[in-house]
Each structure stands twice: as structure tokens, then as C-alpha cells.
Amino acid sequence: MIDVAVIGGGPAGLLAALLAARAGAEVALVAAPLRADTRTTALLDGSVAILRDAGLWPRLEGAAAPLRRLRLVDGGRRLFRAPEITFDSSEVGLDAFGWNVPNAALTAVLGEALAAEPGARVIAGSAVASRPDEDQVAITLEDGSALAARLVIAADGRRSLMREAAGIELSLRRQPQTALAFCATHERAHEGVSTEFHCEEGPFTLVPMPGLRSSVVWVVTPERAEELRALGPEAFGEALTRRAGRLLGAMRPDGPIGAFPVEVGAATRMAARRTLLVGEAAHVLPPIGAQGLNLGVRDAAAAARAIAAAIAERRDVGGLATLGAYSRDRASDVWSRTVATDALNRSLMSGWPAAHAARGAGVRALAAIGPLRRFVMRQGLGR
């Protein structure tokens, strides 16, 4: 029997497996080969600090672009419009709020580091069943083999089999939105500024990449998403340039355009029956404020802390004390950010003028009140 089985090979699962192994646990990561991922992730300062502490950041920094300023723009046609506001990282003593990292580079670096850990092994494939009991979790793999672990870290996504086997509920609410995610080239330099337009259909976000490139998340209705994806590169680029208000000059898509349904939900518990939830197995957020994977990074770090404490105190790594410590560490962060991002996303789609007025008043307060603005910036960074 091993100490920890991590199910799922995305960034959150890879990081959880790596940090658990470095905490002294015998770890097995069960993961099917990942499809090519051309997207990027804006890793905020708190996540970068975790990767830096793990010795991984120097291998990622060269492929990443700094986010030195964050600009919010009301891109809607509403009676009550919020003023434009720009947050500068220097206000909170940072060179950058975070860094935009290619997902392929992130998973490659994490995978290489995990392969070098003597206390970890990788099992290529998928788990098809999980049976938690009093002393262990019995996991059945797709080839018919079995794996027994004292603790399971469920990193197997929003439709998590491990979560379901542990009896933890996560009710996903499908929003009338589709997120288009892709990279684009443009004429003007972004100067390290990430811009989020708040539009009636949802957020439209430009995140710096090295050179004259940015990653884009464009949230629209499902019908509009189909129309946009049916366009040729030139026509799509024209629509993209208009949506960005020519902020970066003429834009063109650079690579495939992914489409993802927007869903929202958080698990009712973060742990139960020798199972901890990390990443989208625990929380699914709308693409606002770059909170999704950053929460998953903090989940992985918290799981490693709980495991390290159990090993140091010679306790069962899958026992109630470990599950309780992890839940206390993560519950407030996960639930508060899920509620906040969901509320902001709903306010964009709302036709209720009072919702727009309230959002505008909040932005005005941030623009006018320095201590409040700096407090919100620090909270958003997850440190």
C-alpha cells in the first residue's frame, strides 16, 4: 500500500503529487496522457511564490510574460457604466501581479520534476473505480490492475469520479455562456498590461504574452461562439479587433480557438473518506480575475502541508486529522472566491440597472480609496 494516490495529471494534480512526494510520502500519480494544450494561465504572485519555493520558477520564467498592470474596462452599453480603473503592481510593492505562462510549459516542467522524485511514480492510464473504506482506498485502473492508498488526492476535474466515490457533492450550474480561449498577435505592444472588458455577454480578457502576442478569453453566448468559430482567420481577426476597441491595433488569431462551457460550482466539502479534492474536482469558476488554476495551486500546497504534518507526527496520512486540517485550510478561500466570481459574472449578464449601478459604485470606490484598492489587490493575489 502506498501513502498517496493522485488521480489526474493536469497542473494541479502534478503539483500536488510533486509536493506530497517532497513532504515524505510515497506517491503514485495516475494520469492519462494529456492532449496538446495551447492555452496559457495567468499565475498570480501567490502561485508564483509556491512554484519558486519548489525550485520550479527559474525553468518557467523565460517562457512567461509579466502582468505589471491590470485594467478593468466597462465594455457594455448600460445606463450605469463603471469607470475604467487600472491597478499597478508597484502599489503593493511588487514588480508584477503575476506571470502569464503557457500551459504546455507548466505541465512539462512539473512532469519533469515529478519524474525526478525518488518517492513518486507515474502510472499512465485512467482510474475507473474508487472504493474508500476505513483503512484505505482501493482504486481500479482501466487495465484491470488495482492500487491501494491511504489517501487519494482527487485532481480528476469537474466530473470527478474520485469525488463521487467519496460521497462529496458538487452541483455545477451551467451559465448561458461559452468561453473562447486562444492566442492572438497584434500590432501594438501590450506593455505588460492585462485588460479585462466587462461586457453584457461576459468578460473579454487580453493577457500579455512575450512579444506582440496576447492570450485571449472571450466569453459570449453559445450561439455567438458558434458564429465566431465559423469565421475564417481574417474575419475572426476583424471581429476580435473590434471587440478589443483597437486597443492593441489589428489582431489575428494565432493557433486553434478552443471553446469551453462556462460552469460554476464548489464542492460541499473539501475532503471526506480518505479523499482530498484539488483543482476543478473542488471548484469550477467563471473566467474572471484569473482565479481558477491559482486556487488549484493553493489546494496542492495545502494538501502537501497536511500530509507533511501527518508524517511528522507519525499519523495516518489519510486519517480524519489530515482531512480536517486540509478542509480548514481551504474551505473559506474556495467558497468565498467562487461566490465572488459568480456574482460578478452574473452582474455582467444582468439586465437589472441596480446591479450595474452597484458594480459601478464599487469600481469608483476602488479608484478613489487607496487603502481599499490595495487591500483588494492583495486579496486577489492569494497571498
Side-chain angles (χ1 to χ4, degrees):
M1 184 191 304
I2 62 170
D3 294 320
V4 179
V6 180
I7 312 300
L14 286 166
L15 182 60
L18 175 65
L19 297 181
R22 290 183 176 179
E26 182 185 0
V27 176
L29 173 75
V30 179
L34 294 175
R35 293 178 294 178
D37 191 346
T38 60
R39 295 174 296 168
T40 66
T41 295
L43 292 175
L44 300 177
D45 181 68
S47 296
V48 172
I50 290 169
L51 295 175
R52 187 177 287 115
D53 289 345
L56 304 175
W57 185 244
R59 298 160 64 185
L60 288 166
E61 190 171 4
L67 313 180
R68 304 194 191 282
R69 286 180 288 165
L70 306 178
R71 178 195 291 128
L72 299 183
V73 180
D74 192 332
R77 297 178 296 275
R78 305 177 176 96
L79 179 62
F80 299 102
R81 289 173 57 86
E84 180 176 320
I85 183 172
T86 299
F87 301 95
D88 195 308
S89 59
S90 63
E91 283 196 74
V92 288
L94 297 174
D95 180 55
F97 285 116
W99 297 73
N100 197 26
V101 179
N103 286 5
L106 179 59
T107 54
V109 166
L110 288 169
E112 290 166 5
L114 183 63
E117 278 299 315
R121 61 188 171 108
V122 177
I123 301 173
S126 300
V128 297
S130 174
R131 295 182 300 280
D133 63 27
E134 189 173 325
D135 300 315
Q136 65 175 21
V137 181
I139 301 163
T140 304
L141 306 182
E142 61 182 345
D143 63 0
S145 61
L147 180 68
R150 294 180 177 85
L151 176 70
V152 165
I153 296 179
D156 50 341
R158 61 184 68 182
R159 307 288 190 266
S160 171
L161 176 67
M162 298 297 111
R163 183 188 65 230
E164 183 178 335
I168 304 174
E169 296 182 1
L170 189 158
S171 178
L172 286 172
R173 301 189 304 279
R174 175 71 183 271
Q175 305 300 306
Q177 297 168 301
T178 296
L180 302 180
F182 55 96
C183 297
T185 60
H186 41 78
E187 292 179 317
R188 298 176 189 153
H190 49 60
E191 298 180 343
V193 181
S194 179
T195 303
E196 187 170 279
F197 292 84
H198 290 168
C199 309
E200 285 94 340
E201 293 179 322
F204 171 83
T205 308
L206 304 169
V207 188
M209 295 176 66
L212 294 175
R213 299 176 72 233
S214 292
S215 59
V216 183
V217 178
W218 190 353
V219 178
V220 293
T221 64
E223 296 77 19
R224 178 61 172 154
E226 290 183 11
E227 293 172 2
L228 288 168
R229 296 187 82 201
L231 297 176
E234 184 173 344
F236 186 92
E238 291 173 357
L240 174 62
T241 301
R242 288 194 302 271
R243 179 66 280 178
R246 303 196 65 85
L247 182 69
L248 299 175
M251 302 184 70
R252 287 183 62 88
D254 183 23
I257 299 170
F260 307 91
V262 175
E263 298 177 306
V264 181
T268 54
R269 291 180 287 174
M270 293 297 295
R273 302 187 68 194
R274 294 187 172 271
T275 304
L276 306 182
L277 308 183
V278 305
E280 286 201 339
H283 41 75
V284 180
L285 279 66
I288 293 181
Q291 293 299 315
L293 182 55
N294 287 283
L295 272 180
V297 169
R298 298 201 291 277
D299 294 340
R305 286 194 295 271
I307 290 166
I311 291 173
E313 297 168 12
R314 299 182 182 276
R315 291 189 280 102
D316 180 356
V317 295
L320 291 176
T322 304
L323 304 185
Y326 179 73
S327 294
R328 289 189 297 273
D329 196 328
R330 298 303 305 136
S332 177
D333 188 21
V334 166
W335 293 334
S336 64
R337 291 176 195 273
T338 302
V339 169
T341 55
D342 184 29
L344 178 54
N345 186 48
R346 286 172 178 268
S347 76
L348 301 184
M349 297 184 290
S350 174
W352 193 30
H356 307 155
R359 186 166 54 85
V363 173
R364 288 186 182 87
L366 291 176
I369 306 171
L372 175 62
R373 183 172 60 254
R374 289 187 286 275
F375 171 79
V376 169
M377 284 191 279
R378 293 189 184 98
Q379 289 296 304
L381 293 172
R383 295 206 72 169

